[in-house]
Amino acid sequence: MRGIERGRKMLDEIAGELDGHDGSVLQYVRLRAGLTERERAAARASRLERRGAANDALAALKRGDVIAIPHGRRNGVAVVLEPAHDDEDPRPLVLTEHRWAGRISSADYSGGAEPLGSIALPKRVEHRQPKVRRDVASALRSALDEGRVRRPQPGKRRTDGRHGDADADLERLRREIREHPVHHAPNREELARTGERYLRIERDNAQLQKKVAAATNSLARTFDRILALLAERGYVEDSAELGMKVTQDGMLLARIYSESDLLVAECLRRGLWAGLKPAELAAVASAVLYESRGDTVSATGEAPTAALRGALAETHRALARLRRDEQQHHLSPTREIDEGFVAAVYRWATTGDLAASLEAAGDTGTALPAGDFVRWCRQVVDLLDQIHKAAPDAEVRSAAKAAVGDVRRGVVAVDGT
């Protein structure tokens, strides 16, 4: 948005130097820009038309036809030894009067004239043999000398008048430019350069506005998809009087601030973490937070307790259901659970032994520096504090409060309270 505003200010400044946004100078510059664009479009159309005509002409050539190659290194008269096989990109095999044999394309042949005639060829022409090329080239020159084949006549390229409307538009624009008052101003080119700078900034601003609009539309579509998912799961509901209304479960979700907030809310409202002891709750909370270094998820070790193993299994199942629904709504899926910190934070919450906790992290295949251990513990504490405030189950709230104290101690508590 700042870029757009800056562009508008620059346009206002330039317009002030001229005679306003709708003044005669900018009108004149727009006419010139329009003429340039039309000329380029006409040139592109002409090139495409010539290429199409050349392709059609090449595809229509038959064996023995004599043609003129008007330009290129192989220019001159040539005879077709083998017609083209591909109508989309026809490349007939020819032999020139100078004994060169090879395939030509629309880049070599204009197709602006009919074949000059034709000559009889042997049933089989081994064009790679010098003697054969010499004999065929000699026969071609003899046909030219004897008048059995016309010699190419230099002339203007044929046109079919199909660009008459475009030519009329171009002439109209040129006339309007010549008759415009600014065209006769002594400082015309200086004014034109200033006006062209205005048009460049105007174009850049328009492109920037399109990008902003596209991003806004994308955000709006994503928001609508998220809203549909939340409504489907009961976090919001449609009210005839108030529109979308946040439900009680939605209030629970609003208290969770995590990348996997919806998964945490699902686990809390469905009671998947009910009955866990403080250390177990800290461990399962770490699984929805922790991210292993690199692109791989840490190897899953044996969870310390049966209750924790059950809670992790239920959390995995809840995640699978959630990711399936997110996919149906074309949303980015919630990231996978990573159990690489489960054993470490459980050991820390139960013993407070840093060395043992780091060793437990290493047992899962994750070599965890002490600094990373402290950082992840503090993130677990933050989520546990949110669970303490948001969980609908009083027992879970109590366990979360106790887990905060069990994890926030020792090195984790230093400068972290």
Side-chain angles (χ1 to χ4, degrees):
M1 294 300 291
R2 291 180 181 176
I4 295 174
E5 286 301 320
R6 185 165 56 250
R8 286 173 179 165
K9 289 180 180 178
M10 293 175 68
L11 291 176
D12 289 339
E13 291 173 2
I14 297 173
E17 296 176 18
L18 302 174
D19 53 354
H21 292 281
D22 300 317
S24 59
V25 174
L26 287 177
Q27 183 187 57
Y28 175 74
V29 173
R30 291 187 196 280
L31 282 174
R32 286 179 34 153
L35 175 62
T36 300
E37 182 56 35
R38 291 301 297 270
E39 287 175 337
R40 289 174 179 169
R44 286 193 297 269
S46 179
R47 285 196 300 271
L48 290 174
E49 182 182 325
R50 290 197 301 271
R51 185 181 302 169
N55 281 339
D56 291 343
L58 286 172
L61 292 176
K62 300 184 294 295
R63 190 172 188 267
D65 281 347
V66 177
I67 60 173
I69 301 177
H71 43 257
R73 292 184 303 167
R74 310 302 179 187
N75 67 319
V77 178
V79 60
V80 177
L81 303 181
E82 181 182 302
H85 302 297
D86 184 357
D87 290 342
E88 295 295 326
D89 184 22
R91 292 174 180 266
L93 177 65
V94 303
L95 186 141
T96 69
E97 58 185 316
H98 305 297
R99 292 183 287 180
W100 175 85
R103 295 192 179 276
I104 61 172
S105 68
S106 57
D108 307 298
Y109 187 60
S110 65
E114 299 293 330
L116 304 173
S118 64
I119 63 173
L121 293 173
K123 187 174 182 180
R124 185 178 181 84
V125 178
E126 296 291 346
H127 65 277
R128 290 185 177 85
Q129 296 183 10
K131 182 179 182 303
V132 173
R133 291 201 303 272
R134 184 171 60 250
D135 291 344
V136 174
S138 177
L140 176 59
R141 287 194 297 271
S142 296
L144 287 167
D145 293 339
E146 295 169 5
R148 289 182 284 118
V149 172
R150 301 191 313 275
R151 287 191 176 276
Q153 298 296 322
K156 295 182 179 179
R157 181 177 290 152
R158 295 191 312 174
T159 60
D160 55 10
R162 279 183 287 181
H163 296 299
D165 292 341
D167 292 342
D169 286 342
L170 288 172
E171 185 53 39
R172 176 184 56 79
L173 283 170
R174 293 184 183 114
R175 185 173 62 254
E176 288 182 15
I177 289 171
R178 289 193 301 269
E179 295 174 355
H180 198 281
V182 177
H183 188 70
H184 305 286
N187 59 340
R188 178 187 69 192
E189 293 307 313
E190 181 182 347
L191 292 173
R193 283 193 294 272
T194 304
E196 287 164 1
R197 186 159 63 93
Y198 180 99
L199 295 187
R200 282 196 300 272
I201 296 172
E202 187 179 56
R203 284 194 301 270
D204 292 344
N205 234 29
Q207 291 175 357
L208 189 56
Q209 286 176 323
K210 285 182 180 179
K211 290 180 180 178
V212 170
T216 302
N217 291 337
S218 176
L219 287 172
R221 287 193 297 270
T222 302
F223 178 77
D224 289 341
R225 292 167 185 166
I226 293 173
L227 204 59
L229 175 64
L230 294 179
E232 188 178 277
R233 286 180 166 259
Y235 290 97
V236 295
E237 61 184 15
D238 198 359
S239 168
E241 298 178 355
L242 303 175
M244 279 295 180
K245 176 184 175 183
V246 179
T247 64
Q248 196 66 30
D249 288 339
M251 295 300 295
L252 183 160
L253 176 61
R255 296 188 183 98
I256 305 298
Y257 302 93
S258 167
E259 184 182 352
S260 302
D261 50 2
L262 192 51
L263 175 61
V264 174
E266 284 290 300
C267 292
L268 292 177
R269 74 167 183 167
R270 295 181 183 278
L272 304 184
W273 295 347
L276 293 177
K277 295 178 180 178
E280 294 169 337
L281 183 58
V284 75
S286 76
V288 301
L289 284 174
Y290 183 70
E291 292 183 71
S292 302
R293 289 178 179 267
D295 298 328
T296 57
V297 175
S298 299
T300 302
E302 184 73 11
T305 67
L308 179 53
R309 288 193 293 273
L312 287 169
E314 288 295 334
T315 304
H316 275 287
R317 282 191 280 272
L319 175 63
R321 292 191 295 269
L322 176 58
R323 286 169 66 93
R324 183 180 62 246
D325 290 349
E326 287 169 334
Q327 185 177 14
Q328 290 175 350
H329 286 277
H330 305 288
L331 292 168
S332 299
T334 300
R335 69 176 186 83
E336 292 285 356
I337 292 170
D338 191 331
E339 298 182 25
F341 198 58
V342 166
V345 75
Y346 179 85
R347 184 73 61 86
W348 176 254
T350 53
T351 68
D353 187 331
L354 179 60
S357 300
L358 294 176
E359 183 181 351
D363 291 342
T364 64
T366 305
L368 198 63
D372 286 352
F373 173 82
V374 171
R375 179 169 60 87
W376 284 113
C377 278
R378 289 175 179 171
Q379 291 193 39
V380 171
V381 166
D382 187 47
L383 180 56
L384 288 170
D385 191 49
Q386 295 171 34
I387 293 172
H388 164 60
K389 296 173 182 176
D393 187 311
E395 186 180 357
V396 174
R397 291 198 301 271
S398 177
K401 183 177 181 180
V404 168
D406 291 342
V407 177
R408 186 189 284 155
R409 59 176 166 179
V411 293
V412 177
V414 175
D415 295 330
T417 57

